[in-house]
Amino acid sequence: MKKIVILGSSGSIGTQTLDIVAKLKDSICVKGLAVRSNLRVLKSQIRKFRPKAVSMDSFIDSNNLRKWCALNNLKTTVYSGNTGVKKLATMSAIDMVFISTVGAVGFESIVSAIEAKKNVAIANKEVFVMAGNYIMNLATEKGVLVLPVDSEHSAIFQCCTDEKKSNIKKIILTASGGPFYKYDEDFSKITVEQTLEHPIWKMGNKVTVDSATLMNKGLEAIEASALFGIPVDRIKILVHPQSIVHSMVEYIDGSVIAQLSNPDMRLPIQYALTYPARFQSGIKSLNLAEVGKLEFFEPNFDKFPCLKLSYFAAKKGFTMPAVMNAANETAVSAFLNKEIKFTDIAKIVDTTMRAHIISKISSLNAFVDADYWARQYSNRLIDKGI
Ligand code: MG
């Protein structure tokens, strides 16, 4: 029986993860759950999964939940805030911490889990962009597994089991292209509502906006570079509208290995949960004759400036990716609140990156400071009307 803790259990990935856990209840059990503020969802998860401990961000929410647990005769311990998340991430007798939080806030919990020698499954790409090499070095030092949850990274992971890193010539990261890949009207008029209608993947709001600007793919390129130890100039992006090929790895002998399936997040989530074992997943079997054609295009870096910014940040390294990520998080939330235009997202990220003075110290504090600085700076840009 694999015992797991899920951080961010009320979000899109978190709830799908619990659906899979419920199906695989003979092999996996949940010992801890953390959410930011969704009390309603957490209550129903407590009833269903009976975790040993849970945590919520606010002290007031946690207090209410504690009373509710007592009233309902539930023996779940309720924690709160950062200390609560840290308690869950380092709980004894846990085999894996599944991190499905969104944004750089997940950073400290990942570090705590790895330091406590827990294997981690990470769906949170922002943290990898912020400090991916730091996390991977720490994981190697502690001897823990870092399993990717994102569909592309799971694909790459599956394409390079048992292969030497030096055999990899390049990684080919596929992208659906998002809702605006073929859009040729004025990008500055794109609305929040248009953006949230992703053609293929059903995801949380932040990642859906990132998919529309293609920042998501840029973040994924940086994430892949850290996860697999391949420099970003050997990571190529290929637009593939059908989202059947989830990514590919090309080897030095010219062989290309790809992972294919119908697009369904349950597959990479389940593989991260059960690795190295495989179980039936219930997803629709792939019928390539039915799909008919698989198309591939070069991405358009001019139409989607966030791609350029990502490669620039990755090449600069050190604190620049953290700054790019933080400015993007700030800009995306301002766009979702209808404070800025779609095209302002890239502008804010670009302006913030230009103003950043790189710190060449690879420490936890350097990344946290860079993240904080970029949030302040980009928020000021938004307040000024850019
Ligand atoms: Mg992805």
Side-chain angles (χ1 to χ4, degrees):
M1 187 65 97
K2 203 178 260 182
K3 299 183 197 74
I4 68 163
V5 162
I6 303 173
L7 308 180
S9 66
S10 62
S12 163
I13 300 286
T15 49
Q16 292 184 75
T17 305
L18 279 170
D19 287 345
I20 295 164
V21 170
K23 277 196 201 127
L24 301 175
K25 60 179 185 304
D26 298 331
S27 320
I28 304 170
C29 81
V30 174
K31 291 287 172 190
L33 296 170
V35 304
R36 195 181 47 196
S37 57
N38 200 330
L39 194 58
R40 186 183 54 82
V41 170
L42 183 58
K43 280 180 182 172
S44 74
Q45 293 176 344
I46 293 173
R47 276 201 195 280
K48 186 161 178 192
F49 295 95
R50 305 289 166 122
K52 206 166 164 236
V54 297
S55 185
M56 295 193 75
D57 246 15
S58 98
F59 188 71
I60 300 168
D61 284 340
S62 312
N63 246 345
N64 288 338
L65 184 61
R66 210 168 282 129
K67 284 180 200 149
W68 177 85
C69 284
L71 256 158
N72 288 280
N73 262 326
L74 294 159
K75 291 187 175 61
T76 302
T77 310
V78 182
Y79 298 117
S80 71
N82 279 345
T83 20
V85 173
K86 201 170 169 178
K87 279 221 157 85
L88 290 184
T90 58
M91 257 165 97
S92 61
I94 287 299
D95 302 299
M96 175 192 273
V97 181
F98 197 102
I99 294 143
S100 47
T101 48
V102 179
V105 287
F107 185 47
E108 281 168 56
S109 52
I110 292 177
V111 171
S112 311
I114 297 175
E115 274 178 345
K117 300 195 170 156
K118 310 292 180 195
N119 291 334
V120 286
I122 305 183
N124 181 318
K125 63 191 77 179
E126 290 86 356
V127 167
F128 258 100
V129 172
M130 186 179 171
N133 293 330
Y134 180 90
I135 291 169
M136 292 312 285
N137 289 339
L138 187 64
T140 311
E141 187 192 312
K142 301 288 175 188
V144 306
L145 273 174
V146 176
L147 295 161
V149 177
D150 215 347
S151 61
E152 296 80 359
H153 303 85
S154 175
I156 299 161
F157 184 73
Q158 295 179 63
C159 293
C160 54
T161 12
D162 301 329
E163 281 280 356
K164 276 202 223 122
K165 202 185 287 171
S166 58
N167 284 346
I168 297 176
K169 187 174 169 195
K170 62 181 184 222
I171 287 174
I172 303 154
L173 200 62
T174 54
S176 73
F180 306 123
Y181 194 69
K182 287 187 175 161
Y183 193 77
D184 43 22
E185 283 166 57
D186 185 353
F187 269 48
S188 70
K189 302 222 163 64
I190 290 173
T191 64
V192 172
E193 290 73 21
Q194 275 172 293
T195 309
L196 294 182
E197 270 172 38
H198 193 278
I200 294 180
W201 299 98
K202 182 89 205 80
M203 307 170 289
N205 284 352
K206 200 267 176 179
V207 57
T208 307
V209 176
D210 285 346
S211 297
T213 61
L214 290 199
M215 178 58 99
N216 183 52
K217 216 41 65 174
L219 297 174
E220 287 181 358
I222 303 176
E223 181 184 5
S225 169
L227 259 171
F228 303 104
I230 301 290
V232 79
D233 52 10
R234 279 161 54 205
I235 298 177
K236 305 284 174 210
I237 294 168
L238 204 53
V239 175
H240 167 45
Q242 290 80 15
S243 291
I244 297 290
V245 176
H246 300 305
S247 276
M248 300 177 250
V249 176
E250 181 178 336
Y251 289 95
I252 45 171
D253 60 359
S255 197
V256 179
I257 301 187
Q259 187 258 347
L260 289 76
S261 77
N262 282 314
D264 191 322
M265 271 313 289
R266 286 177 298 170
L267 183 56
I269 294 172
Q270 175 170 308
Y271 191 61
L273 282 171
T274 63
Y275 174 84
R278 286 187 190 270
F279 288 83
Q280 292 200 356
S281 70
I283 81 157
K284 194 176 163 238
S285 181
L286 179 62
N287 181 340
L288 282 174
E290 204 173 82
V291 176
K293 62 175 180 182
L294 300 176
E295 297 169 295
F296 301 94
F297 308 103
E298 289 288 343
N300 187 336
F301 279 62
D302 295 322
K303 208 166 159 185
F304 297 95
C306 287
L307 283 178
K308 260 189 216 167
L309 294 171
S310 305
Y311 275 83
F312 177 80
K315 277 176 201 149
K316 286 280 172 199
F318 299 104
T319 46
M320 193 57 99
V323 164
M324 180 191 75
N325 175 65
N328 181 59
E329 281 189 36
T330 314
V332 168
S333 91
F335 173 69
L336 285 168
N337 290 331
K338 305 191 176 178
E339 293 165 46
I340 60 167
K341 289 186 287 206
F342 185 81
T343 41
D344 290 336
I345 298 173
K347 267 187 219 161
I348 287 164
V349 177
D350 189 4
T351 312
T352 308
M353 282 166 71
R354 281 174 203 275
H356 178 57
I357 299 157
I358 289 177
S359 155
K360 296 200 170 176
I361 311 158
S362 188
S363 73
L364 203 66
N365 282 342
F367 296 121
V368 173
D369 289 350
D371 176 275
Y372 181 75
W373 174 86
R375 282 171 207 273
Q376 303 288 102
Y377 193 90
S378 49
N379 262 319
R380 278 203 301 275
L381 291 177
I382 293 161
D383 290 343
K384 277 197 306 198
I386 305 125

